[in-house]
C-alpha cells in the first residue's frame, strides 16, 4: 500500500493518476492477448509459421507498450509538448523516407525497417500531430495575434499529403476527422465549418476518382457485388457466435478469415465469445471516449482540454471504423482495433497516445492568480 503522506514520485503518480482510465487500458490490453490466442494460431498455421508465432510476438510487444503507457503518464504537460514535437519531427522524416525506401505491400508504402524492426511511422505521427495541433489552437486562443490556427492547417495539409502519397486513405480520413473535431472544440467559426465541409466532400470525390482501389471498395460496399469475402466471413462469424459465442477455440470461420488477427479480430470475438463480449468491448471504448471528453470539459487550461479531446476522439474514431467494417457498416479499411488487434507499431503508438491521456488527466492543484494591489486594498477597506 502507498501512503497518502508519501511524497515520492511513484506515490504522487498513484494518487493523481485517473485509475478508471488506467484500468480500462489494462483491460483492453489483456483482451488483446486473449483474442490473440483465439484469432492468430489459424493464420500462423495457414502461412507456415508456428501456431503461437503471433501470440508470442503480441506478448513481447505488450512489454514495451505497458512500460511506455506507464512511463509517459508521469510527464507534465510541458514535457508532453516536447515529446510530441520530437515524435512529430521524427515521424515526418520517416514518412518521407518510407516513400523512397519503405516496403511496398499491396501497392502501398507504409512500413520501413529500422534496426531490423518493421515500423509504421504514421502510427506514431497521429498522437504527436494531435498534441501539436492542440498546442497551436491553445496559443491562438491565448493570443489571437499568433496564427496558431493557420499553422495547424498547414501542418494538417503536410500530414494529409504524406498519407495520400503512401497511399493510406483510411488514416487520412481518421486524421481529418480528429482534426475537425478539435477545431470545432476550439471554437471553429461557422464559415470555416462550411468551407472545410465543402473541401472534405471535394476530397472524397477526388479520392473516388483518382484511386481505383478506393472506388472499388466503395462500389463493393454499396452494391454488395465483387470480392466481399472478408466482410462476408466476418458477418458469418458474428452470426454463428450468437449471444454467448461458440466457446474459446471453437470458432470455425476464423480459420478461413485472412486478417482475423488484425483488422477482423472483433469478428473472432463475436464468434467465440458472443455478441455480449462485443458489447463489453464497445462499452469499454465508449467509456474511455466519454470519460476523456468529460474530463476535458472540466479543464481550465486550453492546451490540456484540446489535447485530451483530440486524443480520445482519435481513439474513438479508430475503434468505430474497425468495428463498423467488421459488421459491414463501412467500406473495408486497414484499420486496427486499439490495444486488441495484432501489430507492434499500432500497440506501442497507442500506448504512447493513451499514456499522454493519463498524463494530462492527472489531478493537479489549480494555480492561484496573484492578488492585485487593488483587490488587497479593497478587502482591507471592507474589513475596516
Amino acid at each position: 500500500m502507498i501512503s497518502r503522506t508519501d511524497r515520492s514520485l511513484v506515490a504522487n503518480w498513484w494518487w493523481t493518476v485517473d485509475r478508471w482510465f488506467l484500468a480500462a487500458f489494462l483491460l483492453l490490453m489483456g483482451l488483446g492477448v486473449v483474442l490473440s490466442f483465439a484469432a492468430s494460431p489459424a493464420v500462423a498455421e495457414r502461412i507456415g509459421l508456428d501456431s503461437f508465432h503471433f501470440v508470442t510476438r503480441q506478448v513481447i510487444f505488450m512489454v514495451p507498450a505497458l512500460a511506455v503507457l506507464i512511463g509517459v503518464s508521469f510527464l507534465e504537460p510541458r514535457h508532453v509538448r516536447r515529446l510530441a514535437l520530437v515524435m512529430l519531427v521524427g515521424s515526418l522524416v520517416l514518412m518521407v523516407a518510407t516513400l523512397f525506401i519503405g516496403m511496398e505491400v499491396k501497392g502501398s508504402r507504409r512500413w520501413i525497417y529500422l534496426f531490423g524492426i518493421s515500423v509504421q511511422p504514421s502510427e506514431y505521427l497521429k498522437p504527436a500531430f494531435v498534441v501539436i495541433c492542440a498546442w497551436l489552437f491553445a496559443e491562438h486562443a491565448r493570443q489571437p495575434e499568433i496564427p496558431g490556427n493557420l499553422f495547424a492547417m498547414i501542418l494538417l495539409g503536410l500530414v494529409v499529403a504524406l498519407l495520400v502519397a503512401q497511399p493510406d486513405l483510411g488514416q487520412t480520413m481518421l486524421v481529418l476527422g480528429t482534426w475537425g473535431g478539435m477545431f470545432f472544440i476550439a471554437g471553429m467559426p461557422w464559415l470555416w465549418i462550411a468551407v472545410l465541409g465543402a473541401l472534405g466532400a471535394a476530397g472524397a470525390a477526388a479520392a473516388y476518382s483518382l484511386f481505383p482501389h478506393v472506388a472499388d471498395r466503395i462500389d463493393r460496399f454499396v452494391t454488395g457485388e465483387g470480392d466481399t469475402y472478408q466482410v462476408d466471413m466476418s458477418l458469418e462469424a458474428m452470426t454463428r457466435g450468437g449471444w454467448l459465442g461458440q466457446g474459446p477455440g471453437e470458432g470455425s470461420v476464423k480459420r478461413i478469415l485472412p486478417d482475423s488477427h488484425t483488422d477482423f479480430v472483433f469478428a473472432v470475438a463475436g464468434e467465440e465469445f458472443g455478441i455480449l463480449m462485443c458489447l463489453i468491448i464497445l462499452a469499454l471504448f465508449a467509456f474511455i471516449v466519454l470519460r476523456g471528453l468529460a474530463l476535458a470539459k472540466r479543464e481550465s487550461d486550453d492546451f490540456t482540454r484540446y489535447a485530451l479531446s483530440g486524443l480520445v476522439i482519435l481513439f474513438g474514431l479508430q475503434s468505430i471504423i474497425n468495428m463498423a467494417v467488421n459488421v459491414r457498416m463501412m467500406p473495408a479499411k486497414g484499420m486496427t482495433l486499439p490495444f486488441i488487434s495484432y501489430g507492434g507499431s499500432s500497440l506501442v503508438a497507442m500506448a504512447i497516445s493513451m499514456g499522454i491521456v493519463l498524463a494530462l488527466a492527472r489531478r493537479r492543484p489549480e494555480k492561484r492568480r496573484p492578488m492585485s494591489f487593488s483587490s488587497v486594498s479593497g478587502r482591507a477597506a471592507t474589513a475596516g
Side-chain angles (χ1 to χ4, degrees):
M1 295 296 291
I2 300 177
S3 170
R4 286 185 179 273
T5 59
D6 190 343
R7 294 291 180 262
S8 67
L9 182 64
V10 173
N12 179 61
W13 172 83
W14 175 249
W15 291 115
T16 58
V17 75
D18 190 303
R19 278 169 274 178
W20 286 105
F21 263 150
L22 183 61
F25 297 146
L26 294 179
L27 184 54
L28 282 177
M29 294 174 81
L31 284 172
V33 174
V34 171
L35 291 176
S36 180
F37 272 101
S40 66
V43 178
E45 292 169 4
R46 193 161 55 241
I47 60 178
L49 299 173
D50 177 73
S51 297
F52 296 103
H53 172 81
F54 293 113
V55 176
T56 303
R57 290 176 66 86
Q58 182 82 346
V59 173
I60 291 173
F61 291 144
M62 282 288 179
V63 176
L66 186 57
V68 165
L69 178 75
I70 301 300
V72 172
S73 69
F74 278 82
L75 299 179
E76 295 293 327
R78 65 180 183 276
H79 298 138
V80 166
R81 289 192 290 267
R82 293 170 186 170
L83 172 65
L85 183 59
V86 172
M87 283 179 57
L88 180 69
V89 173
S91 299
L92 289 174
V93 171
L94 288 176
M95 286 187 69
V96 172
T98 300
L99 297 177
F100 298 97
I101 61 174
M103 297 177 292
E104 184 172 342
V105 179
K106 298 180 180 180
S108 298
R109 290 185 181 271
R110 304 175 188 175
W111 290 269
I112 188 171
Y113 270 109
L114 291 177
F115 309 107
I117 301 174
S118 175
V119 176
Q120 188 175 357
S122 61
E123 291 290 348
Y124 298 92
L125 175 69
K126 290 183 295 186
F129 169 77
V130 167
V131 173
I132 295 302
C133 282
W135 174 64
L136 292 170
F137 289 145
E139 286 300 300
H140 179 76
R142 186 174 64 89
Q143 300 183 60
E145 64 273 14
I146 296 178
N149 290 357
L150 176 61
F151 290 152
M153 291 179 189
I154 294 172
L155 180 58
L156 173 69
L158 175 61
V159 170
V160 166
L162 288 172
L163 288 172
V164 171
Q166 290 185 343
D168 191 343
L169 299 187
Q171 298 283 17
T172 302
M173 185 178 71
L174 181 61
V175 166
L176 286 170
T178 302
W179 188 90
M182 292 176 64
F183 198 7
F184 181 80
I185 291 171
M188 178 197 301
W190 284 105
L191 176 61
W192 276 111
I193 294 177
V195 170
L196 293 176
L199 288 175
Y208 183 86
S209 302
L210 298 175
F211 295 97
H213 72 282
V214 174
D216 180 54
R217 288 182 178 183
I218 293 175
D219 290 342
R220 279 183 288 162
F221 174 74
V222 173
T223 64
E225 299 176 355
D227 184 11
T228 59
Y229 178 78
Q230 290 224 76
V231 176
D232 291 342
M233 289 299 99
S234 176
L235 288 174
E236 177 68 17
M238 302 283 280
T239 302
R240 291 194 182 189
W243 283 101
L244 300 177
Q246 296 188 341
E250 299 300 319
S252 56
V253 178
K254 69 177 185 181
R255 302 182 184 280
I256 55 175
L257 190 57
D259 295 327
S260 61
H261 62 317
T262 52
D263 299 349
F264 290 90
V265 69
F266 190 66
V268 176
E271 182 181 23
E272 298 208 344
F273 299 98
I275 294 174
L276 286 178
M277 173 58 75
C278 292
L279 291 176
I280 290 172
I281 294 172
L282 177 62
L284 274 172
F285 285 118
F287 169 78
I288 291 169
V289 173
L290 293 176
R291 185 168 182 80
L293 292 175
L295 291 175
K297 183 180 178 182
R298 295 203 295 263
E299 281 290 337
S300 59
D301 177 64
D302 285 336
F303 164 72
T304 303
R305 182 165 66 253
Y306 300 154
L308 259 179
S309 300
L311 289 170
V312 296
I313 289 171
L314 177 72
F315 180 85
L317 283 178
Q318 182 167 332
S319 59
I320 287 171
I321 291 171
N322 178 278
M323 290 185 284
V325 167
N326 275 249
V327 295
R328 204 178 184 277
M329 293 180 66
M330 289 185 68
K333 290 177 179 63
M335 194 78 68
T336 58
L337 189 60
F339 287 129
I340 293 181
S341 294
Y342 170 80
S345 289
S346 174
L347 182 59
V348 175
M350 190 56 65
I352 294 173
S353 181
M354 294 302 103
I356 293 174
V357 167
L358 286 172
L360 296 176
R362 285 174 59 189
R363 294 186 296 275
R364 294 180 177 87
E366 293 290 337
K367 293 182 180 180
R368 296 181 179 177
R369 295 181 180 178
M371 190 175 295
S372 65
F373 175 77
S374 59
S375 62
V376 173
S377 59
R379 289 188 182 183
T382 302

